[in-house]
Amino acid sequence: RFKTSRRQRSTLRIADLDVNLDSFLSFLPVKIQEGILAGRIQEDAKHAEVVVSRFKSAVVFSDASGFTALTESLAKRADGAEKLSQVLNVYFGHLIEIVQSYGGDVIKFSGDAVTILWPMPELDEADAAEAAEALELATKAA
């Protein structure tokens, strides 16, 4: 339906396609979803404004232990890429589920690593303890 040159493809907008944006929202951090749905974040870069949200939070950077060894061993198998994909889907699925159930949000994936954000309006010891408990559960479950 869309026959375009490489240069034109880079400028195709989601609005030009027959795509429901809702299907992509689950791949975005909650704060970005909220900004899109509220109209603060817009697709058109010419009319978009920089959106800054300031709030107290805890940020966690975590990566999977043993990932390099796992990748190397699976690389020797014919179905290694598929197996690695399955392992990562299960690992990240459990981690995301637990983090979100405690009010956190995975805001970035970097290979086997994730950046997790926990908004903490009060930033008290109870919130910090809850975030630590969620992280411990997430890493054990995954």
Side-chain angles (χ1 to χ4, degrees), residues 42-57:
Q42 299 176 8
E43 178 189 347
D44 187 357
K46 291 179 184 176
H47 299 98
E49 298 177 21
V50 174
V51 177
V52 177
S53 296
R54 296 182 190 272
F55 51 91
K56 294 178 182 179
S57 63

Side-chain angles (χ1 to χ4, degrees), residues 1-12 16-17:
R1 180 175 159 189
F2 288 101
K3 293 190 178 192
T4 59
S5 70
R6 177 180 282 168
R7 182 180 173 132
Q8 288 173 319
R9 263 185 246 134
S10 67
T11 61
L12 260 180
D16 295 332
L17 303 173

Side-chain angles (χ1 to χ4, degrees), residues 62-129:
S62 177
D63 71 327
S65 176
F67 181 75
T68 301
L70 174 65
T71 303
E72 290 171 353
S73 70
L74 290 175
K76 298 173 186 172
R77 297 175 49 166
D79 64 344
E82 291 82 11
K83 291 292 182 191
L84 182 60
S85 178
Q86 291 171 354
V87 168
L88 286 175
N89 285 339
V90 169
Y91 170 74
F92 286 133
H94 287 305
L95 185 123
I96 291 166
E97 215 172 89
I98 292 168
V99 166
Q100 288 180 342
S101 73
Y102 277 81
D105 190 19
V106 174
I107 58 171
K108 184 174 182 178
F109 293 92
S110 303
D112 66 318
V114 292
T115 303
I116 304 166
L117 175 80
W118 268 283
M120 297 185 174
E122 301 303 317
L123 202 59
D124 59 17
E125 277 189 44
D127 287 337

Side-chain angles (χ1 to χ4, degrees), residues 9-67:
R9 263 185 246 134
S10 67
T11 61
L12 260 180
R13 299 174 333 133
I14 291 174
D16 295 332
L17 303 173
D18 209 6
V19 176
N20 182 350
L21 184 61
D22 292 340
S23 62
F24 292 103
L25 286 178
S26 64
F27 294 99
L28 299 172
V30 171
K31 288 290 181 192
I32 302 298
Q33 291 178 33
E34 291 169 354
I36 290 170
L37 294 173
R40 293 188 308 272
I41 298 174
Q42 299 176 8
E43 178 189 347
D44 187 357
K46 291 179 184 176
H47 299 98
E49 298 177 21
V50 174
V51 177
V52 177
S53 296
R54 296 182 190 272
F55 51 91
K56 294 178 182 179
S57 63
V59 178
V60 175
F61 305 95
S62 177
D63 71 327
S65 176
F67 181 75

